[in-house]
Amino acid sequence: MTVSRPLPTLLVIPTGIGCELGGYAGDALPAARVLAAASGCLITHPNVMNGAALYWSDPRIHYVEGSALDRFAAGALALRPVRQQRVGLLLDAGIEDELRWRHLQVAEGCRASLGLEIGPVVMTDAPLDVTLRQGASGASWGQLGRPDALLRAGRQLQAAGATAIAVVARFPEDPGSEALAAYRQGSGVDALAGAEAVISHLLSRELGIPCAHAPALSPLPLDPDLDPRAAGEELGYTFLACVLVGLSRAPDLVPLAARMSGSAAGALQAPAPDLLQIGQVGAVVAPAGALGGAAVLACAERGIPVIAVHNPCVLEVSAAALGLKVLTAGGYAAAAGLLVALREGISPASLERPLPPLVSADRPWDGGASPPGPALRRDGTPPQMRC
């Protein structure tokens, strides 16, 4: 039996927008696993993979911080798979002593039980002062009062030999709020997610290495009506374990500006065999109502097929609103089927009925039914990558 080459695929489920699948800690992991199996190579971000005390390690899945994923899609970065990262631990000075010890013990447990390379540990020289906000759309975001303290600690870790950084910041909490109660029971938006993205984006952009964040919070009281999607967040004292596991094999971020050819302005040199670049990506998968992100738009501009999955959220940035041609999927299992078709060189349009006729010069497409399915790439070359 012939085994087809992997079809490198981006999976984007934006954080803080209340996605029905992917709006909780780790509830998108099953979708990521099935898409990794279908594509043979999946590139996704911590919001998809982080499950608090739960995690899943898969060599076919590349864990890439959200802003780095955007830069990868724009062609500014390449990814270099590694065997192991040395994960520095950055702790907010605003974390109380007992809660700080809980996080340190998680790190020790990951060293002893999982064999991760963790250290050194650095505490910021001032509390980071995180505040939470919610936009008019309902999406969550936040602010960081002391970004300077965050960056100083990050640079200290990098200078001490850390090749990736796990950040733990003290987050404000209101255990009696209606919003938190609704979230724990399966509705609403993760109020922490937007602020978490601010922290990891800043650190990753400034230091150029993999970064991810875990919030420091006090344990919540038992809720017998807890939604199963929220259960992963209530299994322990911290959210740190999944971040340490994800970062332990996160690919290196390789700037491509340094690889520009001097003989032809703007032309890239031939890609190194150990680098994964956007030109090798064969599809991007994203919620149908959240197609306006930088990574999705960059892929669409390059002619990379966009698979829009039915996954309700607080946004309505659809293909119709953006004028994009997409492949639609009713769920992530259906998206996996589309990836298998693309990977095998099967036109997705050939799987649907009625099958539209070929477009010819004397019978142009009238805009009603979809035209024949798009080629994998505008230049006719098939994506290929060894993962």
Side-chain angles (χ1 to χ4, degrees), residues 25-48:
D27 75 301
L29 270 168
R33 292 179 63 194
V34 75
L35 295 180
S39 66
C41 179
L42 190 72
I43 305 155
T44 192
H45 51 107
N47 182 58
V48 171

Side-chain angles (χ1 to χ4, degrees), residues 11 13 20-37 42 44-58 60-63 229 232-233 235 241-243 245-246 311 332-333:
L11 170 60
I13 305 180
E20 191 172 85
L21 189 151
Y24 288 78
D27 75 301
L29 270 168
R33 292 179 63 194
V34 75
L35 295 180
L42 190 72
T44 192
H45 51 107
N47 182 58
V48 171
M49 301 301 295
N50 287 352
L54 304 175
Y55 46 82
W56 195 270
S57 187
D58 187 327
R60 298 169 298 186
I61 300 178
H62 301 292
Y63 182 97
R229 293 172 297 170
E233 303 182 49
L235 299 183
C242 63
V243 170
V245 171
N311 185 7
Y332 288 92

Side-chain angles (χ1 to χ4, degrees), residues 219-241:
L220 292 169
L222 177 67
D223 182 354
D225 298 321
L226 196 68
D227 187 280
R229 293 172 297 170
E233 303 182 49
E234 315 226 4
L235 299 183
Y237 293 96
T238 86
F239 301 87
L240 181 58

Side-chain angles (χ1 to χ4, degrees), residues 96-158:
E96 303 90 330
D97 285 347
E98 181 176 338
L99 194 51
R100 176 171 57 86
W101 279 111
R102 294 291 187 186
H103 285 85
L104 289 170
Q105 287 169 353
V106 168
E108 295 286 29
C110 287
R111 292 176 64 221
S113 298
L114 304 179
L116 305 189
E117 182 72 25
I118 300 173
V121 178
V122 168
M123 184 179 296
T124 60
D125 54 26
L128 295 178
D129 189 21
V130 176
T131 55
L132 306 180
R133 298 286 185 270
Q134 191 168 35
S137 67
S140 69
W141 60 286
Q143 293 178 311
L144 189 61
R146 294 298 304 270
D148 57 324
L150 176 72
L151 292 175
R152 280 194 297 272
R155 293 187 180 108
Q156 186 178 347
L157 282 169
Q158 191 173 30

